[in-house]
Amino acid sequence: MRTSQYHLVTRKETPQDAEIISHQLMIRAGMVRKIGAGLYTWSPLGFRVLRKVEAIIREEMNASGALEMLMPAVQPKELWEETGRIEDFGGQLLAMTDRAERDYFFGPTHEEVMTEFVRDEVTSYKQLPINFYQIQTKFRDEIRPRFGVMRSREFIMKDAYSFHLTAESLEETYRLMEQTYTKILSRMGLKFRCVLADSGAIGGSGSQEFHVIADSGEDAIMYSDDGDYAANIEKCEAVSLLSARAEPENELTEVATPDQKTIEQVTEFLGVNADQMVKTLLVEGVEGPVALVVRGDHHLSEVKAAHLSEVATPLRFLDDKEVQELAGCDVGSIGVKDLNCPIIVDLTVANMSDFICGANKEGYHLTGVNWQRDAEFQQQADIREAQAGDPSPDGQGILKQARGIEVGHIFQLGDKYSKAMNAVVLDENGRSQALQMGCYGMGVSRLVAAAIEQSHDDNGIIWPSALAPFQVALLPMNYQKSVQVKRTADELYEKLTKAGYEVILDDRKVRPGFMLSDFELLGIPHQVIIGDRSLDEGFVEYRHRQKMEKQKIEHAKIFDFLTQHTNL
RNA sequence: CGGGGUAUAGCGCAGCCUGGUAGCGCAACUGCUUUGGGAGCAGUGGGUCGGGAGUUCGAAUCUCUCUACCCCGACCA
């Protein structure tokens, strides 16, 4: 490709509304352009990268034996009524009506459509196991789209759905997909981690997420420093930090803590550590309010709390007025003694003794509080977020924390959808069996942003070789005037193109500095600088986008050099 | 959905308070000079001032209203 015949529109200035680096660089490089909140047009340049991501996914999915197909983006509302998921998805579903007032959703995911397909087309156990996938545009009406194509409303996703007669067969394909995702992300040259995950609105029994590691990631992931355990913080088991409860030593004492409301204020005021205190949080329960208690230095996991059967979903904290009615004080002085509602404590809290909590009396706290003697709890459960430094739940090593961008999520759904939609096959004995189902998503457009997030510098994008829009950039200095520069560049361009390289030759009439910074921004991995200065001595210059050191290569040898140094 | 903010050329912004010829920088186009790190000079094109209504002789500017977008929060692959 010659730049004169391509469409390159780069910007020197950082766009004002782009917060994270990948969004800034994608706009500056002219890969995408915003048309509305969370809606983007992909330019030819950006689209090339999108296609690279798709191609790798497609190759590896095909290699795994999955079958590509295509489902409609627009789905009849009736399908969603069959599974009752309209509520689960809530406002994220983009609804529309046609001229006959029929209701539709623009698909945010395709379990329903897929299951509808399979229940009619797959009728015998002999057709199983089978794994279908598509690469397609999805729509989710995000409450707040942000970070460019990272969290957009319309996005491209690869979604696969497998069907099985038995749970064992499902497990096998699930593991195969885990391996396939590992291959895909490895080929893209990304640093990533597979972690245990909460299955959210999709549902099912087990699920894992694939995260590209990046400080700007929206998710926190926990992993063992000396073992295989890794989980999203939403899912990560938080073990009890106290193996047994010590005997009470101190008397129950009421102390005045005027105007001390937060844990931080109270610990400072009393001269104690936060791990001697407990936090009592009041939430709406299924039948009246429920108290959730975690240690002072711990955070409540809202995801875990919402999973408790006693707690109403979605999780809602009581407001100031409700707190006042129940505890007789404001939020800063709630405690576990004589609290008139069920109390659910975290595993660590269950083993605490001589602890400090609010006195349910404005401006007072209790010290030397002990379970059984002074207060009772109804249930203990893992309701806190794990934190760095905790022992790993599998007993191997200590947990560390990292930020990740979720680019893939695999689920074992079991028979959740097949039962709801009556998708059955006949087994060997001629008996009707509900299908076992798995689903496997991967964010195609999000991967483009994630790759940039992980690989860039002050001057622009540094594409991993597998995702670069072009492999080689030929950068002639003074192409329009120097006959030997033009000839050298043209010849090399022809030769590389014929040999199958994706080459971009910058034949624009621009100054050298402009051209060089443009290609740093664009992040093309292999760059060949052709100028009179070195050509007079028989050389051209080569540099790799990652290292940027210029290397003199004999003019006659540059083709062989590139052949050796690229993956083609 | 709650709170805050913004809307003027492709991008970034000024002008509004105090109503009277719509401006600046970047980008684009033309010419000349320059040519190994985002050039200089001269010139050119490009605007329903987010939409609607109102006040006024006259509205980018004042009033009302609608809409869109951005940020923070809760929510979420």
Side-chain angles (χ1 to χ4, degrees):
Chain A
M1 189 58 68
R2 289 169 181 267
T3 49
S4 60
Q5 283 149 45
Y6 202 57
H7 179 73
L8 278 190
V9 180
T10 56
R11 266 170 258 277
K12 208 173 0 180
E13 283 150 21
T14 312
Q16 213 239 325
D17 59 0
E19 277 195 277
I20 61 168
I21 195 77
S22 59
H23 188 195
Q24 293 172 0
L25 290 174
M26 285 179 84
I27 302 270
R28 283 190 53 206
M31 291 176 63
V32 291
R33 194 184 165 85
K34 186 173 73 179
I35 191 179
L39 303 172
Y40 289 86
T41 295
W42 290 75
S43 74
L45 181 76
F47 190 59
R48 279 185 87 100
V49 181
L50 200 58
R51 282 292 192 227
K52 291 276 170 104
V53 172
E54 277 186 21
I56 292 171
I57 294 175
R58 185 173 282 119
E59 279 176 34
E60 294 299 333
M61 287 302 290
N62 290 346
S64 80
L67 305 173
E68 186 169 12
M69 61 184 289
L70 185 63
M71 290 178 265
V74 176
Q75 311 179 3
K77 186 182 179 190
E78 288 74 22
L79 270 182
W80 286 73
E81 283 166 346
E82 284 192 51
T83 55
R85 277 214 297 174
I86 296 174
E87 280 205 355
D88 295 348
F89 264 84
Q92 272 204 82
L93 278 169
L94 174 68
M96 54 184 112
T97 310
D98 70 7
R99 65 179 86 196
E101 304 277 304
R102 287 178 288 241
D103 292 320
Y104 298 89
F105 294 123
F106 195 105
T109 177
H110 279 66
E111 282 80 10
E112 282 81 2
V113 179
M114 187 73 246
T115 307
E116 195 275 342
F117 175 77
V118 164
R119 77 175 158 194
D120 290 342
E121 304 231 352
V122 177
T123 48
S124 158
Y125 75 97
K126 292 178 194 165
Q127 294 169 283
L128 302 176
I130 197 154
N131 192 4
F132 298 105
Y133 79 97
Q134 64 172 349
I135 295 175
Q136 193 213 31
T137 297
K138 308 288 187 202
F139 193 98
R140 294 187 191 177
D141 198 356
E142 293 285 346
I143 296 166
R144 191 148 88 84
R146 66 193 124 167
F147 305 146
V149 299
M150 192 82 85
R151 180 170 294 282
S152 51
R153 292 194 296 167
E154 187 176 305
F155 59 101
I156 298 174
M157 178 161 113
K158 184 283 296 175
D159 47 326
Y161 307 87
S162 71
F163 296 87
H164 313 265
L165 186 63
T166 64
E168 293 70 41
S169 168
L170 167 58
E171 170 85 18
E172 206 172 298
T173 298
Y174 181 83
R175 293 298 158 208
L176 177 62
M177 283 297 105
E178 184 185 342
Q179 288 163 25
T180 301
Y181 275 34
T182 301
K183 276 186 204 158
I184 290 169
L185 297 175
S186 302
R187 272 185 66 181
M188 290 177 187
L190 300 170
K191 285 194 285 287
F192 66 96
R193 187 107 203 188
C194 174
V195 306
L196 299 170
D198 189 76
S199 50
I202 308 288
S205 53
S207 80
Q208 285 165 286
E209 291 167 345
F210 285 78
H211 284 265
V212 167
I213 305 301
D215 289 339
S216 59
E218 289 192 83
D219 285 293
I221 59 179
M222 311 299 299
Y223 61 96
S224 161
D225 65 349
D226 183 31
D228 294 332
Y229 187 88
N232 189 307
I233 197 161
E234 292 178 349
K235 181 75 177 177
C236 185
E237 214 181 302
V239 299
S240 174
L241 300 180
L242 300 168
S243 51
R245 194 189 304 158
E247 289 299 312
E249 288 182 6
N250 301 335
E251 292 297 310
L252 180 69
T253 313
E254 186 176 276
V255 294
T257 49
D259 297 326
Q260 311 299 310
K261 308 219 178 269
T262 65
I263 294 280
E264 200 176 292
Q265 288 167 348
V266 175
T267 52
E268 198 168 311
F269 185 80
L270 296 177
V272 297
N273 291 327
D275 63 5
Q276 293 170 259
M277 294 195 58
V278 303
K279 265 192 277 212
T280 308
L281 306 159
L282 299 178
V283 301
E284 189 181 3
V286 179
E287 298 168 5
V290 174
L292 302 174
V293 186
V294 298
R295 201 168 76 177
D297 58 332
H298 289 159
H299 289 283
L300 177 75
S301 164
E302 299 193 13
V303 172
K304 290 177 183 177
H307 281 318
L308 293 172
S309 56
E310 294 80 359
V311 172
T313 24
L315 187 77
R316 186 183 71 83
F317 288 95
L318 298 194
D319 63 31
D320 292 346
K321 198 176 146 217
E322 292 167 309
V323 168
Q324 200 56 251
E325 274 170 29
L326 181 76
C329 60
D330 77 9
V331 175
S333 301
I334 311 172
V336 296
K337 184 171 160 52
D338 303 325
L339 189 61
N340 187 25
C341 72
I343 296 177
I344 300 174
V345 301
D346 179 62
L347 302 175
T348 301
V349 173
N351 282 343
M352 286 173 73
S353 54
D354 293 323
F355 58 84
I356 300 163
C357 67
N360 294 328
K361 186 172 156 189
E362 203 63 52
Y364 286 89
H365 278 74
L366 299 174
T367 67
V369 184
N370 283 277
W371 296 118
Q372 287 183 316
R373 191 188 71 184
D374 310 314
E376 294 286 348
F377 56 81
Q378 276 64 47
Q379 189 188 335
Q380 51 178 301
D382 172 14
I383 54 171
R384 72 175 173 96
E385 277 184 358
Q387 54 188 28
D390 285 357
S392 176
D394 65 354
Q396 305 283 312
I398 299 296
L399 287 180
K400 290 198 160 192
Q401 186 174 342
R403 305 293 305 178
I405 300 163
E406 185 190 342
V407 295
H409 200 158
I410 59 179
F411 303 80
Q412 294 186 43
L413 301 170
D415 58 10
K416 171 173 172 172
Y417 295 89
S418 47
K419 277 238 170 96
M421 296 182 66
N422 194 31
V424 298
V425 289
L426 295 182
D427 67 11
E428 287 175 283
N429 304 314
R431 265 198 291 263
S432 195
Q433 301 271 4
L435 283 161
Q436 293 287 314
M437 182 174 176
C439 84
Y440 319 93
M442 192 165 240
V444 176
S445 35
R446 183 180 279 186
L447 269 164
V448 176
I452 297 173
E453 209 55 46
Q454 200 170 68
S455 181
H456 63 267
D457 64 16
D458 291 346
N459 298 324
I461 303 168
I462 304 176
W463 285 114
S465 180
L467 301 185
F470 296 94
Q471 289 298 310
V472 181
L474 299 180
L475 308 178
M477 306 287 102
N478 211 8
Y479 180 88
Q480 309 289 340
K481 285 266 177 71
S482 165
V483 175
Q484 68 166 349
V485 165
K486 181 173 189 314
R487 194 180 58 228
T488 308
D490 286 347
E491 282 174 7
L492 190 52
Y493 174 73
E494 290 303 326
K495 209 170 164 188
L496 288 165
T497 306
K498 275 203 182 117
Y501 287 83
E502 293 171 298
V503 191
I504 186 154
L505 165 64
D506 195 351
D507 57 351
R508 291 176 300 178
K509 193 179 171 184
V510 293
R511 293 169 63 86
F514 186 92
M515 185 187 292
L516 292 169
S517 2
D518 241 11
F519 278 84
E520 276 154 31
L521 174 62
L522 299 180
I524 310 302
H526 305 281
Q527 308 186 350
V528 180
I529 301 165
I530 300 161
D532 281 317
R533 203 154 78 183
S534 37
L535 267 187
D536 288 343
E537 301 165 20
F539 293 102
V540 294
E541 283 158 274
Y542 167 85
R543 62 180 191 176
H544 192 278
R545 177 64 182 85
Q546 207 149 34
K547 303 189 190 83
M548 296 302 280
E549 290 145 22
K550 287 177 189 157
Q551 206 175 334
K552 281 192 171 183
I553 309 289
E554 274 181 56
H555 171 199
K557 292 186 177 163
I558 182 66
F559 180 79
D560 293 335
F561 178 88
L562 286 170
T563 313
Q564 283 163 25
H565 287 77
T566 58
N567 296 329
L568 280 173

